[in-house]
């Protein structure tokens, strides 16, 4: 039920479109807390999500614009390449490498940004170094995301059948799976360590 409620909160938070970034950061924050502390931590979906959502609202708007521009450019490039246009040698491989690197950085960017300790640009730099310090996990995340997107693009029936799943639980479940891969490699605050000592 927690995944369902969190997914609903995330989708509602995305409705204004310019707040997609805020909703992503809130989803990342509450999911990471749940992964790290599990049932030991007091957790209430509505209050915790909306507190995080409001906290990330200011930085979430420019983040939304940046994400739309980056992913919009990647989609346009993909459509251009798949249209059969004559390409420069190696351009397809270059675009693929750029996409993988961007997804590797993004895998650490949102979790780091959700802590509230980084500006949008400082978060990019920190995520770059973290993603390459733990390149194996970041690469696995990137491949999983690319694989899921390609399946939906090349087998439309899968995409259509997955829409109800994503509306009910999908975004929250995907976030939990991807964040579980890197949760132990993320830098921790002193307050978090003290919290764990008190709990255990």
């Amino acid at each position: 039920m927690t995944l369902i409620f969190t997914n609903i909160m995330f989708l509602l938070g995305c409705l204004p479109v310019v707040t997609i970034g805020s909703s992503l950061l809130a989803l990342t924050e509450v999911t990471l807390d749940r992964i790290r502390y599990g049932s030991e931590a007091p957790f209430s979906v509505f209050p915790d999500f909306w507190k995080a959502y409001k906290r990330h609202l200011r930085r979430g708007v420019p983040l939304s614009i940046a994400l739309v521009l980056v992913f919009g450019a990647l989609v346009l490039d993909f459509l251009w390449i798949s249209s059969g246009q004559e390409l420069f040698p190696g351009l397809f491989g270059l675009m693929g490498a750029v996409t993988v690197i961007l997804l590797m950085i993004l895998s650490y960017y949102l979790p780091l940004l959700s802590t509230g300790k980084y500006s949008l640009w400082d978060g990019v730099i920190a995520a770059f170094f973290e993603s390459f310090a733990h390149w194996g996990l970041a690469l696995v995340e990137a491949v999983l995301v690319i694989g899921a997107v390609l399946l939906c693009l090349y087998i439309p029936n899968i995409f259509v059948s997955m829409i109800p799943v994503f509306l009910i639980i999908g975004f929250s479940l995907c976030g939990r799976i991807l964040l579980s891969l890197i949760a132990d490699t993320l830098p921790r605050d002193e307050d978090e360590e003290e919290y764990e000592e008190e709990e255990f």
Side-chain angles (χ1 to χ4, degrees):
M1 289 301 289
T2 300
L3 286 174
I4 295 175
F5 287 138
T6 307
N7 203 70
I8 292 171
M9 293 294 99
F10 168 73
L11 292 173
L12 289 175
C14 288
L15 285 179
V17 180
V18 294
T19 57
I20 291 174
S22 306
S23 201
L24 269 173
L25 291 176
L27 175 67
T28 302
E29 182 178 330
V30 298
T31 303
L32 267 176
D33 286 346
R34 196 65 174 170
I35 290 170
R36 283 177 165 174
Y37 306 125
S39 59
E40 299 296 328
F43 182 78
S44 180
V45 176
F46 294 98
D48 287 2
F49 186 91
W50 288 116
K51 280 180 189 174
Y53 183 82
K54 288 187 287 185
R55 187 161 54 249
H56 297 300
L57 195 55
R58 182 177 294 180
R59 67 175 56 202
V61 173
L63 176 62
S64 302
I65 296 170
L67 289 174
V68 168
L69 290 175
V70 170
F71 283 101
L74 289 174
V75 169
L76 289 176
D77 287 337
F78 174 82
L79 293 175
W80 176 59
I81 289 172
S82 61
S83 67
Q85 296 288 331
E86 187 174 342
L87 303 176
F88 296 109
L91 183 59
F92 187 79
L94 177 62
M95 285 303 304
V98 169
T99 302
V100 170
I101 291 171
L102 285 175
L103 287 173
M104 286 175 63
I105 294 172
L106 187 65
S107 68
Y108 276 87
Y109 183 56
L110 291 177
L112 291 176
L113 210 60
S114 71
T115 65
K117 294 167 55 180
Y118 299 89
S119 67
L120 293 177
W121 179 244
D122 289 340
V124 171
I125 297 172
F128 176 84
F129 287 110
E130 287 290 339
S131 63
F132 281 95
H134 308 285
W135 66 270
L137 295 174
L139 184 60
V140 169
E141 276 208 10
V143 169
L144 286 175
V145 173
I146 291 172
V149 171
L150 289 178
L151 276 176
C152 291
L153 286 173
Y154 289 109
I155 311 177
N157 289 338
I158 290 181
F159 175 72
V160 173
S161 64
M162 288 297 291
I163 288 176
V165 176
F166 272 95
L167 290 175
I168 297 169
I169 197 174
F171 293 102
S172 181
L173 180 62
C174 287
R176 188 173 182 87
I177 291 171
L178 294 176
L179 288 169
S180 294
L181 287 173
I182 65 167
D184 290 338
T185 66
L186 290 166
R188 304 174 77 90
D189 293 335
E190 292 180 5
D191 293 341
E192 290 179 340
E193 292 171 359
E194 290 174 5
Y195 174 87
E196 286 189 317
E197 287 175 7
E198 290 174 4
E199 288 295 326
F200 297 100

